[in-house]
């Protein structure tokens, strides 16, 4: 046993060494790629008697081989001096962050944010620091959130500055803090949520002391505004490994202050009795939705709406759980309750209106397919499914397929075949009818002319009636639509003009 442990340790050390070597190669390649901009900038700062460092996330991303055209620098120059140095060199300069010591500049498509060394203090009531400028790079790095973000490169000399062993942590995919986690998170509690985001985004593993501090201090997240929380949550959700980030949030208690409905799903056993709980089922659905998303459109951006809907599609189950005679469990109308819960939670997190509406609508619709059976739906039901989903139909297809997590392979295959059949029927009907634009067979102007109405609520009611007929029966010919409109008007007690809906005789007879 001991020899096997030694072998494993050696393999782990060798793997970390290989990653370290690869990281250094990546850094050299990436820094060479952006060196013309960085070197020009460094020369201007050196000529003015100042030092310039590439810092933080930019160094981390260079080491990972994923450096973007958004570069972060730090310097001993004060903000006003930075402005003078970049003036005349940059294509554009902005000072929206100057109160925090940051000046922005753009050059040849590269965005540079240049910040004076910081030595901030925090009141530990809010999260905004008392801004204070520092005099050296070491003091600036120690106040940063994680050691992998506390590295710098002096641009002129290409000197690597790593006082907190961030490079080694990066090679081990380890997430730790330069100061103690308690100090770091007390200064800015959002860093705890950022840790979960880095787990999702970069596949890092938080150090045990970081996890303990997150658990002990989770309640400090109440100091953070919903907008800032939402930004970090969204970055976590669209990362490559969102399940790991969510699990860290739940295990440490952070989720209770961000998405309390998610840990709440651990209380409910799903109706198929195939999963430990609805929480684990929802994480599996999230992963399967991501697989469908990336398999179908690998070059598109991650789909925030689909992923949120996959994670939250069953949050109505705990509130609707009922124990049935014989030992069964039901969750009647959990999609209705869940849609309302989603709307309330996403609004509280200040998500845009379109995201709130789309996610809640997907949650509301996700269960409807289960009434399809082996194709018992009428064409009318298929039309309604498409119409209710609207532009969300491609996302709904993925969500419904992802929601099939049964371990019974025969049942899973049958469900997928049924959905294949539904999609084929949608395609067939779409060829015959314009399903993407289901409209009544008469427009508002024709309705007013035939019924002798002026614009008002009755016209809208007549329009809706004809649309329902269109969904139920498909396209109607013109005369049939007019007859149905007149029949509806008579039922409503509307006095219809005694005229026929025929074009005038050109002869005038």
């Amino acid at each position: 046993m001991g020899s096997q442990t030694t072998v494993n340790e050696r393999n782990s050390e060798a793997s970390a060494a290989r990653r370290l070597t690869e990281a250094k190669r990546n850094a050299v390649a990436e820094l060479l790629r952006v060196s013309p901009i960085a070197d020009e900038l460094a020369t201007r700062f050196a000529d003015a008697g100042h030092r310039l460092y590439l810092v933080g996330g930019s160094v981390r991303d260079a080491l990972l081989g994923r450096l973007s055209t958004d570069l972060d620098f730090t310097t001993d120059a004060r903000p006003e001096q930075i402005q003078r140095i970049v003036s005349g060199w940059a294509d554009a300069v902005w000072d929206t962050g100057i109160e925090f010591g940051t000046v922005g500049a753009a050059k040849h498509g590269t965005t540079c944010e240049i910040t004076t060394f910081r030595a901030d203090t925090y009141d530990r009531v809010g999260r905004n620091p008392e801004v204070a400028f520092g005099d050296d790079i070491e003091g600036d790095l120690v106040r940063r959130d994680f050691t992998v973000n506390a590295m710098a490169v002096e641009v002129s000399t290409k000197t690597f500055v790593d006082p907190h062993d961030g490079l080694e942590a990066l090679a081990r995919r380890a997430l730790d803090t330069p100061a103690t986690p308690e100090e770091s998170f007390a200064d800015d509690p959002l860093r705890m949520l950022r840790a979960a985001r880095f787990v999702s985004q970069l596949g890092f593993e938080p150090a045990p002391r970081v996890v303990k501090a997150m658990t002990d201090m989770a309640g400090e997240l109440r100091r953070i505004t919903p907008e800032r929380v939402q930004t970090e949550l969204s970055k976590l959700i669209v990362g490559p490994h969102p399940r790991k980030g969510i699990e860290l949030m739940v295990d440490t208690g952070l989720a209770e202050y961000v998405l309390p409905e998610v840990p709440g799903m651990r209380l409910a056993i799903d109706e198929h009795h195939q999963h430990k709980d609805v929480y684990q089922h929802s994480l599996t659905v999230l992963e399967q939705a991501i697989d469908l998303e990336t398999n179908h459109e690998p070059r598109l951006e991650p789909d925030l709406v689909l992923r949120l809907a996959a994670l939250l599609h069953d949050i109505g189950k705990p509130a609707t759980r009922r124990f049935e005679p014989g030992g069964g469990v039901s969750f009647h109308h959990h999609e209705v309750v869940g849609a309302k819960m989603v709307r309330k939670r996403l609004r509280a997190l200040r998500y845009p209106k379109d995201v709130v509406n789309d996610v809640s609508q997907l949650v509301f619709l996700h269960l409807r397919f289960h009434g399809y059976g082996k194709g018992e739906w009428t064409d009318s039901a298929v039309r309604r499914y498409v119409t209710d989903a609207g532009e969300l139909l491609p996302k709904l297809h993925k969500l419904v397929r992802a929601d099939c997590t049964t371990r019974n392979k025969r049942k899973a295959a049958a469900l997928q075949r049924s959905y294949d059949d539904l999609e084929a029927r949608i395609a067939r009907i779409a060829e015959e009818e314009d399903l993407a634009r289901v409209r009544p067979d008469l427009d508002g102007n024709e309705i007013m002319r035939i019924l002798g109405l002026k614009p008002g609520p009755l016209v809208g009611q007549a329009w809706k009636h004809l649309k329902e007929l269109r969904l139920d029966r498909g396209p109607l010919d013109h005369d049939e639509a007019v007859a149905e409109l007149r029949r509806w008007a008579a039922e409503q007690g509307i006095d219809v003009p005694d005229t026929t809906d025929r074009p005038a005789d050109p002869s005038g007879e």
Side-chain angles (χ1 to χ4, degrees):
M1 182 68 179
S3 60
Q4 182 61 47
T5 301
T6 302
V7 170
N8 290 339
E9 288 175 348
R10 287 174 180 167
N11 289 339
S12 178
E13 290 172 0
S15 178
R18 284 194 299 272
R19 288 197 296 268
L20 191 61
T21 301
E22 182 62 25
K24 289 177 179 177
R25 287 200 198 100
N26 287 335
V28 170
E30 292 293 281
L31 292 173
L32 284 173
R33 182 169 61 83
V34 302
S35 63
I37 297 293
D39 288 346
E40 287 178 27
L41 199 53
T43 298
R44 293 182 71 89
F45 274 80
D47 290 346
H50 297 289
R51 291 161 289 157
L52 184 72
Y53 296 82
L54 191 70
V55 72
S58 291
V59 176
R60 179 200 70 218
D61 288 346
L63 289 164
L64 291 172
R66 58 196 293 272
L67 186 61
S68 73
T69 55
D70 294 333
L71 304 179
D72 293 324
F73 296 93
T74 188
T75 178
D76 59 328
R78 295 310 192 241
E80 296 77 11
Q81 294 170 316
I82 297 172
Q83 286 180 308
R84 287 196 295 270
I85 292 170
V86 299
S87 179
W89 170 82
D91 299 329
V93 179
W94 56 94
D95 61 3
T96 50
I98 199 165
E99 63 178 311
F100 297 106
T102 300
V103 175
K107 181 75 170 180
H108 300 327
T110 296
T111 299
C112 305
E113 287 202 341
I114 309 160
T115 303
T116 302
F117 292 152
R118 297 274 290 274
D120 302 336
T121 57
Y122 292 78
D123 61 14
R124 299 189 175 180
V125 175
R127 68 174 295 271
N128 292 326
E130 293 291 332
V131 177
F133 298 135
D135 297 311
D136 56 65
I137 186 64
E138 288 77 12
D140 180 270
L141 295 178
V142 75
R143 56 166 288 279
R144 293 180 178 265
D145 53 3
F146 299 105
T147 59
V148 292
N149 295 331
M151 297 178 283
V153 175
E154 206 284 324
V155 183
S156 294
T157 63
K158 302 297 186 290
T159 303
F160 191 64
V161 184
D162 183 19
H164 305 288
D165 296 324
L167 183 57
E168 181 187 353
L170 191 69
R172 293 187 291 110
R173 292 291 196 271
L175 199 62
D176 207 345
T177 52
T180 67
E182 290 78 9
E183 290 177 282
S184 182
F185 299 156
D187 282 347
D188 183 0
L190 190 65
R191 290 171 174 173
M192 294 186 288
L193 194 53
R194 197 173 291 136
R197 188 246 289 185
F198 284 137
V199 167
S200 167
Q201 212 171 44
L202 301 172
F204 289 172
E205 186 72 25
R209 69 172 192 160
V210 169
V211 174
K212 182 179 185 305
M214 291 170 68
T215 305
D216 294 343
M217 302 176 67
E220 293 294 308
L221 267 185
R222 286 175 292 202
R223 290 163 46 191
I224 308 301
T225 64
E227 291 83 359
R228 299 301 299 271
V229 170
Q230 181 245 101
T231 297
E232 290 298 325
L233 176 63
S234 295
K235 290 178 180 178
L236 184 159
I237 293 293
V238 300
H241 314 287
R243 177 172 187 153
K244 292 181 178 179
I246 292 161
E247 287 176 332
L248 179 60
M249 286 174 57
V250 171
D251 292 344
T252 57
L254 289 179
E256 298 289 348
Y257 303 93
V258 180
L259 286 173
E261 297 82 2
V262 171
M265 288 191 289
R266 291 178 297 181
L267 302 175
I269 301 171
D270 92 319
E271 67 268 36
H272 305 298
H273 302 280
Q274 294 295 319
H275 305 280
K276 180 180 179 182
D277 53 32
V278 177
Y279 166 65
Q280 293 294 334
H281 162 73
S282 298
L283 293 178
T284 300
V285 173
L286 171 62
E287 290 186 315
Q288 294 185 168
I290 293 171
D291 288 342
L292 290 171
E293 167 194 309
T294 53
N295 288 342
H296 288 198
E297 297 129 345
R299 289 172 293 181
L300 295 183
E301 291 296 313
D303 192 331
L304 175 65
V305 166
L306 175 63
R307 295 184 182 198
L308 283 171
L311 175 64
L312 303 176
H313 75 285
D314 274 348
I315 65 171
K317 280 189 171 181
T320 58
R321 179 176 56 171
R322 297 291 181 272
F323 296 101
E324 304 293 345
V329 181
S330 67
F331 303 95
H332 296 308
H333 305 301
H334 76 266
E335 75 282 10
V336 178
V337 174
K340 292 178 180 177
M341 293 171 66
V342 163
R343 186 173 293 274
K344 182 178 180 181
R345 176 56 53 198
L346 296 188
R347 280 176 174 168
L349 287 168
R350 306 292 195 270
Y351 271 98
K353 185 178 180 180
D354 60 331
V355 173
V356 175
N357 290 341
D358 289 353
V359 176
S360 60
Q361 182 70 351
L362 286 171
V363 171
F364 178 71
L365 294 173
H366 85 274
L367 205 60
R368 187 176 294 185
F369 161 71
H370 292 282
Y372 186 75
K374 296 182 179 179
E376 287 88 349
W377 275 6
T378 62
D379 283 357
S380 171
V382 174
R383 290 189 199 99
R384 289 180 184 279
Y385 188 74
V386 173
T387 302
D388 289 347
E391 294 180 354
L392 294 173
L393 186 62
K395 298 181 194 293
L396 183 60
H397 287 335
K398 294 171 189 171
L399 176 60
V400 172
R401 289 184 181 277
D403 195 25
C404 175
T405 61
T406 177
R407 295 173 186 171
N408 184 321
K409 292 184 178 180
R410 183 176 297 177
K411 184 176 181 180
L415 284 170
Q416 296 295 348
R417 283 196 302 271
S418 291
Y419 208 83
D420 289 342
D421 181 67
L422 174 58
E423 288 203 61
R425 285 184 65 188
I426 290 172
R428 175 181 61 76
I429 296 172
E431 287 181 2
E432 300 168 0
E433 311 170 24
D434 188 2
L435 284 184
R437 295 171 55 85
V438 172
R439 295 288 186 273
D441 297 282
L442 303 174
D443 65 21
N445 289 328
E446 289 179 291
I447 291 170
M448 288 189 287
R449 178 175 59 80
I450 294 166
L451 300 185
L453 296 176
K454 293 181 179 180
L458 281 176
V459 179
Q461 293 171 25
W463 191 92
K464 289 180 181 177
H465 173 71
L466 290 176
K467 181 177 179 180
E468 290 297 315
L469 285 176
R470 172 73 168 76
L471 288 168
D472 283 337
R473 291 158 52 178
L476 306 178
D477 63 40
H478 187 267
D479 289 344
E480 189 177 7
V482 172
E484 290 293 347
L485 176 62
R486 290 178 175 277
R487 186 177 297 114
W488 173 84
E491 292 171 356
Q492 304 303 311
I494 298 173
D495 187 14
V496 182
D498 187 18
T499 59
T500 56
D501 183 57
R502 294 179 302 180
D505 188 333
S507 68
E509 296 180 3

mmCIF file of all heavy atoms in Angstrom, residues 459-488:
data_model
loop_
_atom_site.group_PDB
_atom_site.id
_atom_site.type_symbol
_atom_site.label_atom_id
_atom_site.label_comp_id
_atom_site.label_asym_id
_atom_site.label_seq_id
_atom_site.Cartn_x
_atom_site.Cartn_y
_atom_site.Cartn_z
ATOM 1 N N VAL A 459 -62.349 43.833 -31.110
ATOM 2 C CA VAL A 459 -61.521 43.404 -32.244
ATOM 3 C C VAL A 459 -60.449 42.421 -31.769
ATOM 4 O O VAL A 459 -60.201 41.395 -32.393
ATOM 5 C CB VAL A 459 -60.875 44.617 -32.942
ATOM 6 C CG1 VAL A 459 -59.992 44.153 -34.097
ATOM 7 C CG2 VAL A 459 -61.945 45.576 -33.451
ATOM 8 N N GLY A 460 -59.839 42.732 -30.625
ATOM 9 C CA GLY A 460 -58.830 41.826 -30.064
ATOM 10 C C GLY A 460 -59.410 40.482 -29.683
ATOM 11 O O GLY A 460 -58.792 39.432 -29.892
ATOM 12 N N GLN A 461 -60.630 40.491 -29.118
ATOM 13 C CA GLN A 461 -61.276 39.232 -28.746
ATOM 14 C C GLN A 461 -61.584 38.386 -29.980
ATOM 15 O O GLN A 461 -61.417 37.165 -29.976
ATOM 16 C CB GLN A 461 -62.557 39.523 -27.969
ATOM 17 C CG GLN A 461 -62.318 40.150 -26.604
ATOM 18 C CD GLN A 461 -63.605 40.627 -25.955
ATOM 19 O OE1 GLN A 461 -64.681 40.118 -26.255
ATOM 20 N NE2 GLN A 461 -63.493 41.618 -25.067
ATOM 21 N N ALA A 462 -62.062 39.044 -31.037
ATOM 22 C CA ALA A 462 -62.346 38.323 -32.272
ATOM 23 C C ALA A 462 -61.062 37.741 -32.865
ATOM 24 O O ALA A 462 -61.039 36.601 -33.355
ATOM 25 C CB ALA A 462 -63.009 39.266 -33.280
ATOM 26 N N TRP A 463 -59.980 38.512 -32.818
ATOM 27 C CA TRP A 463 -58.682 38.062 -33.326
ATOM 28 C C TRP A 463 -58.217 36.817 -32.576
ATOM 29 O O TRP A 463 -57.759 35.839 -33.166
ATOM 30 C CB TRP A 463 -57.680 39.205 -33.176
ATOM 31 C CG TRP A 463 -56.371 39.016 -33.866
ATOM 32 C CD1 TRP A 463 -56.044 39.411 -35.123
ATOM 33 C CD2 TRP A 463 -55.189 38.398 -33.330
ATOM 34 N NE1 TRP A 463 -54.745 39.086 -35.415
ATOM 35 C CE2 TRP A 463 -54.189 38.452 -34.331
ATOM 36 C CE3 TRP A 463 -54.880 37.802 -32.115
ATOM 37 C CZ2 TRP A 463 -52.924 37.937 -34.149
ATOM 38 C CZ3 TRP A 463 -53.604 37.271 -31.925
ATOM 39 C CH2 TRP A 463 -52.645 37.347 -32.931
ATOM 40 N N LYS A 464 -58.337 36.846 -31.244
ATOM 41 C CA LYS A 464 -57.928 35.694 -30.432
ATOM 42 C C LYS A 464 -58.777 34.464 -30.746
ATOM 43 O O LYS A 464 -58.272 33.330 -30.784
ATOM 44 C CB LYS A 464 -58.023 36.037 -28.949
ATOM 45 C CG LYS A 464 -56.959 37.022 -28.478
ATOM 46 C CD LYS A 464 -57.118 37.325 -26.993
ATOM 47 C CE LYS A 464 -56.060 38.345 -26.528
ATOM 48 N NZ LYS A 464 -56.241 38.703 -25.099
ATOM 49 N N HIS A 465 -60.076 34.675 -30.952
ATOM 50 C CA HIS A 465 -60.947 33.546 -31.288
ATOM 51 C C HIS A 465 -60.509 32.889 -32.595
ATOM 52 O O HIS A 465 -60.421 31.652 -32.687
ATOM 53 C CB HIS A 465 -62.395 34.040 -31.412
ATOM 54 C CG HIS A 465 -63.343 32.995 -31.927
ATOM 55 N ND1 HIS A 465 -63.725 31.897 -31.180
ATOM 56 C CD2 HIS A 465 -63.968 32.869 -33.148
ATOM 57 C CE1 HIS A 465 -64.543 31.135 -31.892
ATOM 58 N NE2 HIS A 465 -64.712 31.706 -33.092
ATOM 59 N N LEU A 466 -60.228 33.717 -33.592
ATOM 60 C CA LEU A 466 -59.792 33.160 -34.871
ATOM 61 C C LEU A 466 -58.423 32.488 -34.765
ATOM 62 O O LEU A 466 -58.143 31.494 -35.457
ATOM 63 C CB LEU A 466 -59.749 34.267 -35.927
ATOM 64 C CG LEU A 466 -61.120 34.813 -36.368
ATOM 65 C CD1 LEU A 466 -60.946 35.966 -37.332
ATOM 66 C CD2 LEU A 466 -61.974 33.711 -37.005
ATOM 67 N N LYS A 467 -57.560 33.011 -33.895
ATOM 68 C CA LYS A 467 -56.258 32.364 -33.711
ATOM 69 C C LYS A 467 -56.431 30.983 -33.079
ATOM 70 O O LYS A 467 -55.752 30.017 -33.457
ATOM 71 C CB LYS A 467 -55.342 33.224 -32.848
ATOM 72 C CG LYS A 467 -53.964 32.597 -32.658
ATOM 73 C CD LYS A 467 -53.013 33.472 -31.872
ATOM 74 C CE LYS A 467 -51.673 32.770 -31.710
ATOM 75 N NZ LYS A 467 -50.702 33.578 -30.955
ATOM 76 N N GLU A 468 -57.343 30.875 -32.093
ATOM 77 C CA GLU A 468 -57.603 29.565 -31.484
ATOM 78 C C GLU A 468 -58.093 28.576 -32.534
ATOM 79 O O GLU A 468 -57.696 27.410 -32.529
ATOM 80 C CB GLU A 468 -58.632 29.714 -30.360
ATOM 81 C CG GLU A 468 -58.116 30.438 -29.133
ATOM 82 C CD GLU A 468 -56.987 29.691 -28.460
ATOM 83 O OE1 GLU A 468 -57.101 28.462 -28.295
ATOM 84 O OE2 GLU A 468 -55.967 30.326 -28.122
ATOM 85 N N LEU A 469 -58.981 29.044 -33.422
ATOM 86 C CA LEU A 469 -59.442 28.163 -34.496
ATOM 87 C C LEU A 469 -58.285 27.745 -35.395
ATOM 88 O O LEU A 469 -58.201 26.600 -35.839
ATOM 89 C CB LEU A 469 -60.510 28.875 -35.335
ATOM 90 C CG LEU A 469 -61.899 29.014 -34.707
ATOM 91 C CD1 LEU A 469 -62.803 29.830 -35.621
ATOM 92 C CD2 LEU A 469 -62.516 27.641 -34.445
ATOM 93 N N ARG A 470 -57.414 28.686 -35.668
ATOM 94 C CA ARG A 470 -56.251 28.402 -36.522
ATOM 95 C C ARG A 470 -55.372 27.334 -35.888
ATOM 96 O O ARG A 470 -54.868 26.427 -36.575
ATOM 97 C CB ARG A 470 -55.479 29.709 -36.734
ATOM 98 C CG ARG A 470 -54.140 29.567 -37.439
ATOM 99 C CD ARG A 470 -54.319 29.280 -38.915
ATOM 100 N NE ARG A 470 -53.063 29.433 -39.621
ATOM 101 C CZ ARG A 470 -52.058 28.566 -39.593
ATOM 102 N NH1 ARG A 470 -52.161 27.480 -38.861
ATOM 103 N NH2 ARG A 470 -50.956 28.786 -40.280
ATOM 104 N N LEU A 471 -55.177 27.422 -34.567
ATOM 105 C CA LEU A 471 -54.369 26.424 -33.875
ATOM 106 C C LEU A 471 -55.060 25.070 -33.866
ATOM 107 O O LEU A 471 -54.428 24.023 -34.027
ATOM 108 C CB LEU A 471 -54.084 26.881 -32.434
ATOM 109 C CG LEU A 471 -53.092 28.034 -32.277
ATOM 110 C CD1 LEU A 471 -53.126 28.560 -30.852
ATOM 111 C CD2 LEU A 471 -51.685 27.585 -32.636
ATOM 112 N N ASP A 472 -56.379 25.066 -33.681
ATOM 113 C CA ASP A 472 -57.121 23.810 -33.587
ATOM 114 C C ASP A 472 -57.254 23.110 -34.933
ATOM 115 O O ASP A 472 -57.091 21.894 -35.038
ATOM 116 C CB ASP A 472 -58.527 24.063 -33.032
ATOM 117 C CG ASP A 472 -58.518 24.282 -31.522
ATOM 118 O OD1 ASP A 472 -57.561 23.825 -30.872
ATOM 119 O OD2 ASP A 472 -59.462 24.913 -31.008
ATOM 120 N N ARG A 473 -57.533 23.878 -35.973
ATOM 121 C CA ARG A 473 -57.928 23.265 -37.240
ATOM 122 C C ARG A 473 -56.947 23.513 -38.376
ATOM 123 O O ARG A 473 -57.125 22.980 -39.486
ATOM 124 C CB ARG A 473 -59.310 23.781 -37.643
ATOM 125 C CG ARG A 473 -60.396 23.270 -36.710
ATOM 126 C CD ARG A 473 -61.671 24.103 -36.699
ATOM 127 N NE ARG A 473 -62.229 24.344 -38.019
ATOM 128 C CZ ARG A 473 -63.373 25.027 -38.215
ATOM 129 N NH1 ARG A 473 -64.047 25.487 -37.157
ATOM 130 N NH2 ARG A 473 -63.829 25.232 -39.429
ATOM 131 N N GLY A 474 -55.935 24.303 -38.122
ATOM 132 C CA GLY A 474 -55.022 24.641 -39.201
ATOM 133 C C GLY A 474 -55.595 25.773 -40.033
ATOM 134 O O GLY A 474 -56.599 26.389 -39.674
ATOM 135 N N PRO A 475 -54.979 26.074 -41.184
ATOM 136 C CA PRO A 475 -55.452 27.194 -42.001
ATOM 137 C C PRO A 475 -56.882 26.978 -42.496
ATOM 138 O O PRO A 475 -57.250 25.878 -42.921
ATOM 139 C CB PRO A 475 -54.460 27.208 -43.173
ATOM 140 C CG PRO A 475 -53.273 26.442 -42.694
ATOM 141 C CD PRO A 475 -53.791 25.419 -41.747
ATOM 142 N N LEU A 476 -57.696 28.032 -42.452
ATOM 143 C CA LEU A 476 -59.055 28.013 -42.985
ATOM 144 C C LEU A 476 -59.069 28.808 -44.285
ATOM 145 O O LEU A 476 -58.332 29.787 -44.432
ATOM 146 C CB LEU A 476 -60.038 28.657 -41.992
ATOM 147 C CG LEU A 476 -60.065 28.107 -40.563
ATOM 148 C CD1 LEU A 476 -61.074 28.902 -39.730
ATOM 149 C CD2 LEU A 476 -60.393 26.634 -40.540
ATOM 150 N N ASP A 477 -59.958 28.413 -45.231
ATOM 151 C CA ASP A 477 -60.068 29.267 -46.413
ATOM 152 C C ASP A 477 -60.851 30.523 -46.019
ATOM 153 O O ASP A 477 -61.470 30.593 -44.957
ATOM 154 C CB ASP A 477 -60.704 28.521 -47.592
ATOM 155 C CG ASP A 477 -62.138 28.079 -47.330
ATOM 156 O OD1 ASP A 477 -62.910 28.854 -46.713
ATOM 157 O OD2 ASP A 477 -62.499 26.960 -47.751
ATOM 158 N N HIS A 478 -60.837 31.528 -46.887
ATOM 159 C CA HIS A 478 -61.353 32.844 -46.529
ATOM 160 C C HIS A 478 -62.831 32.802 -46.158
ATOM 161 O O HIS A 478 -63.252 33.352 -45.126
ATOM 162 C CB HIS A 478 -61.118 33.823 -47.686
ATOM 163 C CG HIS A 478 -61.475 35.238 -47.339
ATOM 164 N ND1 HIS A 478 -62.723 35.767 -47.594
ATOM 165 C CD2 HIS A 478 -60.753 36.212 -46.739
ATOM 166 C CE1 HIS A 478 -62.762 37.025 -47.167
ATOM 167 N NE2 HIS A 478 -61.567 37.318 -46.646
ATOM 168 N N ASP A 479 -63.630 32.126 -46.963
ATOM 169 C CA ASP A 479 -65.072 32.089 -46.690
ATOM 170 C C ASP A 479 -65.371 31.392 -45.373
ATOM 171 O O ASP A 479 -66.265 31.800 -44.624
ATOM 172 C CB ASP A 479 -65.808 31.374 -47.836
ATOM 173 C CG ASP A 479 -65.842 32.207 -49.110
ATOM 174 O OD1 ASP A 479 -65.571 33.425 -49.013
ATOM 175 O OD2 ASP A 479 -66.119 31.649 -50.189
ATOM 176 N N GLU A 480 -64.615 30.315 -45.082
ATOM 177 C CA GLU A 480 -64.824 29.590 -43.838
ATOM 178 C C GLU A 480 -64.451 30.458 -42.647
ATOM 179 O O GLU A 480 -65.142 30.463 -41.622
ATOM 180 C CB GLU A 480 -63.981 28.305 -43.847
ATOM 181 C CG GLU A 480 -64.290 27.362 -42.690
ATOM 182 C CD GLU A 480 -63.486 26.075 -42.769
ATOM 183 O OE1 GLU A 480 -62.591 25.980 -43.640
ATOM 184 O OE2 GLU A 480 -63.747 25.182 -41.947
ATOM 185 N N ALA A 481 -63.358 31.222 -42.773
ATOM 186 C CA ALA A 481 -62.938 32.117 -41.689
ATOM 187 C C ALA A 481 -63.982 33.190 -41.442
ATOM 188 O O ALA A 481 -64.304 33.531 -40.291
ATOM 189 C CB ALA A 481 -61.593 32.743 -42.022
ATOM 190 N N VAL A 482 -64.566 33.747 -42.531
ATOM 191 C CA VAL A 482 -65.604 34.775 -42.380
ATOM 192 C C VAL A 482 -66.828 34.199 -41.690
ATOM 193 O O VAL A 482 -67.411 34.823 -40.791
ATOM 194 C CB VAL A 482 -65.978 35.361 -43.762
ATOM 195 C CG1 VAL A 482 -67.208 36.284 -43.635
ATOM 196 C CG2 VAL A 482 -64.798 36.129 -44.345
ATOM 197 N N ALA A 483 -67.225 32.981 -42.089
ATOM 198 C CA ALA A 483 -68.395 32.346 -41.471
ATOM 199 C C ALA A 483 -68.171 32.113 -39.984
ATOM 200 O O ALA A 483 -69.066 32.330 -39.156
ATOM 201 C CB ALA A 483 -68.698 31.030 -42.182
ATOM 202 N N GLU A 484 -66.968 31.671 -39.622
ATOM 203 C CA GLU A 484 -66.662 31.434 -38.212
ATOM 204 C C GLU A 484 -66.667 32.753 -37.435
ATOM 205 O O GLU A 484 -67.104 32.808 -36.281
ATOM 206 C CB GLU A 484 -65.302 30.746 -38.076
ATOM 207 C CG GLU A 484 -65.275 29.314 -38.556
ATOM 208 C CD GLU A 484 -66.129 28.386 -37.686
ATOM 209 O OE1 GLU A 484 -66.539 28.797 -36.569
ATOM 210 O OE2 GLU A 484 -66.384 27.249 -38.124
ATOM 211 N N LEU A 485 -66.168 33.822 -38.052
ATOM 212 C CA LEU A 485 -66.171 35.117 -37.385
ATOM 213 C C LEU A 485 -67.595 35.589 -37.134
ATOM 214 O O LEU A 485 -67.928 36.073 -36.047
ATOM 215 C CB LEU A 485 -65.418 36.142 -38.243
ATOM 216 C CG LEU A 485 -65.418 37.582 -37.723
ATOM 217 C CD1 LEU A 485 -64.736 37.663 -36.358
ATOM 218 C CD2 LEU A 485 -64.725 38.508 -38.717
ATOM 219 N N ARG A 486 -68.460 35.442 -38.144
ATOM 220 C CA ARG A 486 -69.858 35.857 -37.972
ATOM 221 C C ARG A 486 -70.558 35.014 -36.905
ATOM 222 O O ARG A 486 -71.356 35.524 -36.118
ATOM 223 C CB ARG A 486 -70.596 35.748 -39.308
ATOM 224 C CG ARG A 486 -70.170 36.793 -40.339
ATOM 225 C CD ARG A 486 -70.923 36.589 -41.656
ATOM 226 N NE ARG A 486 -70.611 37.637 -42.613
ATOM 227 C CZ ARG A 486 -71.187 38.835 -42.647
ATOM 228 N NH1 ARG A 486 -72.121 39.143 -41.741
ATOM 229 N NH2 ARG A 486 -70.840 39.723 -43.545
ATOM 230 N N ARG A 487 -70.253 33.706 -36.897
ATOM 231 C CA ARG A 487 -70.854 32.829 -35.888
ATOM 232 C C ARG A 487 -70.435 33.280 -34.475
ATOM 233 O O ARG A 487 -71.262 33.344 -33.561
ATOM 234 C CB ARG A 487 -70.432 31.382 -36.147
ATOM 235 C CG ARG A 487 -71.117 30.373 -35.238
ATOM 236 C CD ARG A 487 -70.726 28.946 -35.590
ATOM 237 N NE ARG A 487 -71.150 28.599 -36.935
ATOM 238 C CZ ARG A 487 -70.339 28.336 -37.942
ATOM 239 N NH1 ARG A 487 -69.027 28.389 -37.749
ATOM 240 N NH2 ARG A 487 -70.798 28.028 -39.133
ATOM 241 N N TRP A 488 -69.158 33.575 -34.321
ATOM 242 C CA TRP A 488 -68.673 34.058 -33.005
ATOM 243 C C TRP A 488 -69.345 35.372 -32.621
ATOM 244 O O TRP A 488 -69.772 35.561 -31.483
ATOM 245 C CB TRP A 488 -67.156 34.252 -33.070
ATOM 246 C CG TRP A 488 -66.589 34.893 -31.828
ATOM 247 C CD1 TRP A 488 -66.237 34.260 -30.673
ATOM 248 C CD2 TRP A 488 -66.338 36.288 -31.623
ATOM 249 N NE1 TRP A 488 -65.778 35.167 -29.744
ATOM 250 C CE2 TRP A 488 -65.833 36.423 -30.297
ATOM 251 C CE3 TRP A 488 -66.494 37.421 -32.410
ATOM 252 C CZ2 TRP A 488 -65.482 37.660 -29.766
ATOM 253 C CZ3 TRP A 488 -66.138 38.653 -31.873
ATOM 254 C CH2 TRP A 488 -65.640 38.773 -30.563
#
